[in-house]
Amino acid sequence: MLAVLAPGQGSQKPGFLTPWLTLPGVEARLRWWSVLAGVDLVHLGTEAGAEEIKDTAKTQPLLVAAALVTAEQLPMHDAAVFAGHSVGELAASTLAGVFSPEAAVTLAAVRGREMAAACALEPTGMSAILGGDPDEVLATVEAAGLYPANRNGAGQVVAAGALSGLEKLAANPPARARIIGLQVAGAFHTPYMAPAEEALAAIAAGVTTAAPAKLLLSNRDGSVVDHGPSMLQRLVKQVTAPVRWDLCMAALVDLGVTAVIELAPAGTLAGLVKRTIKGIEIVSVNTPDDLAAARDLITRHGSAPVHEPHQQFSVVVATTAGTFTPVEGLVEGTEVSDGQRIGAVQTGQGPIDVTTHGAGVLAEWLVATDEPVAPGQPLARIGDQL
């Protein structure tokens, strides 16, 4: 089984799209999408320097366009699974059939502009934590008043929040861990991005969606999403929610994926998969010269999946450490609505509400009342009704 991955912010490199413009139709495609994005994607992908393409408002539509224009050179119909990291989810959702490339590029442009604007409201940032005991790393992040914005697997967690908290983390790192400050504009995938989520939601409300034609993984919890409006809603909420790439990779294993293609600009996700999943074949597509190897991989591992109605489960996770208390009287088998409060995590700063990210049935509680929980720990399973 073949999976196709779309990279997220930080994977861009100056001039990485230059060789792709030699292919028929690529430049015209990028110029059309530039009109939708409000930025010159051809310039950004060919002539712009590292500082210019680090601008969140420009980087996000550039990365989505790059993944899509790369994918157009390959027989994607033979890929079974799609996943993207952060803004890469927009490209993955398009390739799975949720919405059009034009919608993806437009949403990426809005997302990038609004996240850049949110970053300007308060001085925040992000730092990568490499190594260390996973539980100790998460505890240290919380103690510094930060959020685990990305849990990427392979011993990598990205902490985000106020600069004072990042300084505290750097001064008191977890044992056997290394801290690397990231050159980003602010604390992505945290509550600091709430204004961006609100703005993106207003635009996303007008986007037409379809059910994914392929297996599509969500950064929220690694689950397979087979409902277009639900995926769009998840994409909006992901602006303030942690990226659980570790759970996406676990899903690749559970689904029996045997090969992976990472679309341009490739390397980051391929590296994480290589360090996490043993025995899997990987092709990183960075230039047209890589297309032959990618097509060969598709021939040997690709197959169009057969889709049958099935019950989809999503997992509600804790966003912080504390003790979990469910809503009184809310029992397994109860129907819940999208955004419904199902409990709270009691912290030293007060209760943090836990809400659903889609309507369905409360299939199973995964923790007991007043049980201690860690950030990202699954609390309940919500199942769709067939």
Side-chain angles (χ1 to χ4, degrees), residues 195-211:
E197 180 185 321
E198 182 178 354
L200 183 60
I203 301 300
V207 174
T208 300
T209 65

Side-chain angles (χ1 to χ4, degrees), residues 136 140-141 143-144 165-175 179:
E136 183 180 348
T140 303
V141 169
L166 294 173
E167 292 170 357
K168 182 178 179 181
L169 174 67
N172 298 281
I179 309 295

Side-chain angles (χ1 to χ4, degrees), residues 13 79 178 234 320 360 383:
K13 306 171 186 68
R178 184 160 57 100
R234 282 171 172 256
T320 187

Side-chain angles (χ1 to χ4, degrees), residues 53-93:
I53 60 174
K54 192 173 69 176
D55 180 352
T56 299
K58 298 175 180 177
T59 304
Q60 295 197 12
L62 174 63
L63 289 173
V64 170
L68 293 177
V69 82
T70 306
E72 287 183 347
Q73 314 305 316
L74 295 167
M76 288 289 103
H77 55 274
D78 284 334
V81 184
F82 290 88
H85 188 284
S86 190
V87 72
E89 277 199 301
L90 289 170
S93 297

Side-chain angles (χ1 to χ4, degrees), residues 23 94 112 123 128 213 230 261 280 317-318 323 330 345 365 377 381-382:
L23 301 182
T94 296
S230 294
I261 291 174
I280 193 169
V317 301
T323 56
L330 186 59
V345 176
W365 289 114
Q377 180 174 338
R381 285 202 309 155
I382 308 297

Side-chain angles (χ1 to χ4, degrees), residues 151-170:
R151 296 175 65 176
N152 289 329
Q156 182 185 123
V157 173
V158 176
L163 296 183
S164 58
L166 294 173
E167 292 170 357
K168 182 178 179 181
L169 174 67

